Amino acid sequence: MGDYIVELKDSVFRETPLSEVDFDEDRRLAFDSKADAEEWVTERNREHASRGQLTLHTAHPADTSDIDAYVVFQPVKGVWVLDS
């Protein structure tokens, strides 16, 4: 397992071609570095750029999970809704 852990939030699966069945049940991905995670997000964004983009958000310092960052979807039009 990599050292940089990201979790995909609900908006990723509602607004993009990505499917929850392609990920393990906790929707986490492990990367060797933040740069590798950013590269993965960039690659996925090429698949649905007209709808909006995936963005990588560093976990808040008070977040007690082992997550380093969260991937959320920000639509081109409309209101961004924070995932729970």
Side-chain angles (χ1 to χ4, degrees):
M1 184 179 234
D3 294 330
Y4 194 82
I5 310 297
V6 300
E7 181 179 308
L8 285 73
K9 300 303 275 180
D10 293 341
S11 62
V12 171
F13 302 108
R14 284 192 310 262
E15 305 290 340
T16 73
L18 295 173
S19 174
E20 287 183 83
V21 298
D22 296 329
F23 299 91
D24 60 16
E25 65 185 49
D26 62 7
R27 302 185 299 193
R28 293 181 180 183
L29 297 170
F31 297 95
D32 290 331
S33 67
K34 181 178 182 179
D36 289 343
E38 290 171 339
E39 182 178 333
W40 184 88
V41 167
T42 299
E43 288 294 319
R44 301 295 88 61
N45 276 333
R46 291 187 179 123
E47 300 168 8
H48 55 268
S50 64
R51 296 181 190 169
Q53 65 179 354
L54 296 174
T55 56
L56 188 67
H57 295 268
T58 302
H60 189 277
D63 187 334
T64 59
S65 71
D66 61 347
I67 301 297
D68 295 299
Y70 294 92
V71 176
V72 298
F73 181 80
Q74 290 186 283
V76 170
K77 296 180 181 178
V79 177
W80 180 54
V81 177
L82 182 63
D83 286 324
S84 56

